[in-house]
Amino acid sequence: MLSELERESRTVRRHETLVDEGEPNRLFVLDSGWVYTFIHTPDGRRQILDLHFPGDIVGTNQIAFAESTCGIAAATDGVICPFPKSGLRGVFSKSSKLTALFYTFAMIDHAAVLDRLRATGRMPAALRVLLVLLQCRARLRIMEPSYADAFELPLQQDVIGDMIGLSNISVSNALKQLKEDGLVARQGRWISFPSEERAMTLIDFADHYYEIDTSWFPGPQGAGGEQRIKAL
Amino acid sequence: MLSELERESRTVRRHETLVDEGEPNRLFVLDSGWVYTFIHTPDGRRQILDLHFPGDIVGTNQIAFAESTCGIAAATDGVICPFPKSGLRGVFSKSSKLTALFYTFAMIDHAAVLDRLRATGRMPAALRVLLVLLQCRARLRIMEPSYADAFELPLQQDVIGDMIGLSNISVSNALKQLKEDGLVARQGRWISFPSEERAMTLIDFADHYYEIDTSWFPGPQGAGGEQRIKAL
DNA sequence: CGAGACTTTGATAGATGTCAAACAGTGTGG
DNA sequence: CCACACTGTTTGACATCTATCAAAGTCTCG
């Protein structure tokens, strides 16, 4: 059922806007590359709402609305596989277990947003940036466990800043400070955490991908493989 | 199916903590009063994540996790009707349309959080407070259309501040400024918007409760009454 | 190798937090 | 029904953090 969604595909370029705010909704599977959703403020600034990674279905948290409440843009070059809204109807009507899975994905994404809200509202610049880095790693290592040690971060600093209410300059300063504090190491675009434990406790980081409970899922018990369900 | 969830009930007092962060999850229907979810920062400050109003089912965005990632506290005196997690299994397995409805609620709440994230990250204090006030009105007038003109706001200023990353003092200053600008009028705890149009365009406010699309719902078409579905 | 995009660094300004004290509203008990 | 205690709000002074501006430095890709 799900693999049928990936029938057609197209490439996207870094910085390309895929969907504008207020346009009709669109759904797609992200095959490769990183993508983000955003809204603009009345004075023209930008807030990034969510990051999406290869394997994600993008747009599911917009299907309840007639028009898209946010825009979508590509952070890197990539490939997307668009599919129609009706493609989801099959999922919701035919498999209640798959529906619960989608619901779970939505809640995990929601939890990530809540963590960023907390950071944006109540934490200093360096810790906000640290949160974004740890969130990226948490998501990436689901697909590729070796990313736990070090991963490539293709985001520009103004993109990071727009996720957590900072300017690109403050992101630069925060990274410098994180390096001096021994919390983050950078080699080119590769990120690692020399004092992983300290970094996580410093911001009370919780990896929501590893706290999933499926006991409430409908149907027979023991779905199995919950840890990697995002992989689809 | 849903009315069975409200079998038992108990009263709660203003300021009472109903669920602590990290406790096992709990679900309840909120009969009366206002309730909010929150997380603490490592340095002991508080971020409020969501407000809940009479009629809401509280805790649904936590069921995916083994432990509650946030706490729940009462903003006013009220009455709650707790029910077990298994109560939701019936909903998810027996009615795919009801499931889609729950999914829709989750997305509407999510959209409200995203709006606050945008405000917290990128908008000045007065406009952030204005957003919270407009969000409260939007939710309240679903149940009671007369609240569109004026509604009672039982929240203390530090609670409002914790929703959008401000101190209680900045909230006070913001309200003063909003009053001077003719955007918000207060009589005791009653709030109204003298220049409603201007207030909404100033922050690009969108009332997500009135933009719902149910065309993707499973089952026969024409559910009807989508505008007030939150009322249950 | 060169042009453009991105990052880093420094100086300054503005917004919000913190602290402290006065003020107002609310509920309770006599 | 009033006085009092408590909770919450308002105001002002000051400190801190982050944004903005500007310029130098670095990387990347053609």
Side-chain angles (χ1 to χ4, degrees):
Chain A
M1 199 172 349
L2 288 169
S3 62
E4 278 201 5
L5 300 179
E6 296 189 59
R7 214 169 278 166
E8 51 171 318
S9 72
R10 85 174 182 87
T11 60
V12 297
R13 290 262 170 98
R14 186 168 56 145
H15 295 169
E16 183 180 339
T17 299
L18 309 179
V19 178
D20 262 315
E21 296 158 87
E23 273 185 19
N25 283 313
R26 221 164 292 169
L27 287 160
F28 57 85
V29 177
L30 181 56
D31 245 35
S32 66
W34 294 25
V35 152
Y36 58 84
T37 55
F38 63 89
I39 333 181
H40 280 104
T41 48
D43 64 340
R45 297 157 86 189
R46 183 180 64 168
Q47 174 70 44
I48 289 178
L49 307 174
D50 243 320
L51 270 186
H52 291 287
F53 300 82
D56 281 358
I57 298 179
V58 181
T60 48
N61 51 8
Q62 291 295 316
I63 53 174
F65 305 111
E67 291 184 345
S68 186
T69 60
C70 59
I72 307 178
T76 71
D77 295 346
V79 176
I80 65 175
C81 304
F83 65 90
K85 216 169 181 174
S86 60
L88 276 189
R89 185 178 302 171
V91 173
F92 277 86
S93 57
K94 282 180 198 150
S95 167
S96 61
K97 185 173 268 181
L98 207 46
T99 302
L101 193 58
F102 269 70
Y103 197 81
T104 300
F105 291 162
M107 281 186 280
I108 293 172
D109 287 345
H110 186 61
V113 171
L114 294 178
D115 284 337
R116 284 199 297 276
L117 175 61
R118 177 183 70 144
T120 303
R122 294 294 183 203
M123 279 158 50
L127 298 187
R128 294 189 223 174
V129 172
L130 182 58
L131 171 67
V132 170
L133 299 180
L134 285 171
Q135 282 188 339
C136 287
R137 188 185 72 147
R139 172 62 181 80
L140 288 171
R141 78 171 177 192
I142 297 172
M143 309 296 288
E144 178 52 62
S146 72
Y147 287 153
D149 298 320
F151 65 94
E152 189 178 0
L153 182 79
L155 301 179
Q156 292 135 239
Q157 295 184 345
D158 60 343
V159 170
I160 297 173
D162 283 341
M163 293 178 69
I164 47 183
L166 291 173
S167 67
N168 59 338
I169 289 158
S170 290
V171 173
S172 179
N173 292 333
L175 285 168
K176 185 184 172 192
Q177 189 188 325
L178 289 170
K179 180 183 168 188
E180 287 166 356
D181 293 348
L183 291 166
V184 171
R186 280 188 293 167
Q187 290 173 19
R189 281 175 176 167
W190 287 76
I191 302 284
S192 59
F193 304 95
S195 326
E196 186 172 327
E197 285 300 324
R198 192 157 58 91
M200 303 215 296
T201 57
L202 205 54
I203 62 172
D204 275 353
F205 182 78
D207 186 337
H208 300 299
Y209 296 106
Y210 286 88
E211 300 171 335
I212 294 169
D213 172 27
T214 58
S215 68
W216 58 279
F217 273 38
Q221 288 306 108
E226 296 87 356
Q227 304 297 330
R228 303 265 173 91
I229 45 183
K230 192 85 177 192
L232 285 177
Chain B
M1 198 169 355
L2 288 170
S3 61
E4 278 200 6
L5 300 180
E6 296 189 59
R7 213 169 278 166
E8 51 172 318
S9 72
R10 83 174 183 87
T11 61
V12 298
R13 289 263 169 97
R14 186 168 57 146
H15 295 170
E16 183 180 338
T17 300
L18 310 180
V19 178
D20 261 317
E21 297 159 86
E23 273 184 20
N25 283 313
R26 223 164 290 168
L27 287 159
F28 58 84
V29 177
L30 181 56
D31 245 36
S32 65
W34 294 26
V35 153
Y36 59 83
T37 55
F38 64 88
I39 336 182
H40 279 105
T41 48
D43 64 339
R45 297 157 84 189
R46 184 180 64 169
Q47 174 70 45
I48 289 178
L49 307 173
D50 243 320
L51 270 186
H52 291 287
F53 301 83
D56 281 357
I57 299 180
V58 181
T60 48
N61 51 9
Q62 291 295 317
I63 52 173
F65 305 111
E67 292 184 345
S68 187
T69 61
C70 60
I72 307 179
T76 71
D77 294 345
V79 176
I80 65 174
C81 303
F83 65 90
K85 215 169 182 176
S86 59
L88 275 189
R89 186 179 301 171
V91 173
F92 277 85
S93 57
K94 283 181 199 151
S95 167
S96 61
K97 186 174 266 180
L98 206 47
T99 302
L101 193 58
F102 269 70
Y103 197 82
T104 299
F105 291 162
M107 280 186 280
I108 293 172
D109 288 345
H110 186 60
V113 171
L114 294 178
D115 284 338
R116 284 200 296 277
L117 176 61
R118 176 183 72 144
T120 303
R122 295 295 185 203
M123 280 159 49
L127 298 187
R128 293 189 224 174
V129 172
L130 182 59
L131 171 67
V132 170
L133 298 179
L134 285 170
Q135 283 189 339
C136 287
R137 188 184 73 146
R139 172 62 181 80
L140 288 171
R141 78 170 177 192
I142 296 172
M143 309 295 288
E144 177 52 62
S146 72
Y147 286 152
D149 298 323
F151 66 94
E152 189 178 0
L153 183 78
L155 301 178
Q156 293 136 239
Q157 295 182 346
D158 59 343
V159 170
I160 297 173
D162 283 340
M163 292 178 69
I164 48 183
L166 291 174
S167 66
N168 57 339
I169 289 159
S170 291
V171 173
S172 179
N173 292 334
L175 286 168
K176 184 184 173 192
Q177 189 188 326
L178 288 169
K179 180 183 168 188
E180 286 167 356
D181 294 348
L183 290 167
V184 172
R186 279 189 293 168
Q187 290 173 19
R189 282 175 175 167
W190 287 76
I191 302 286
S192 60
F193 304 95
S195 324
E196 186 172 327
E197 284 299 325
R198 193 156 56 91
M200 302 215 298
T201 57
L202 205 52
I203 62 172
D204 276 353
F205 182 77
D207 187 338
H208 300 299
Y209 296 106
Y210 285 88
E211 300 170 335
I212 294 170
D213 171 29
T214 58
S215 68
W216 57 280
F217 272 37
Q221 289 306 108
E226 296 88 355
Q227 304 296 330
R228 303 267 172 92
I229 45 182
K230 193 86 179 190
L232 288 177

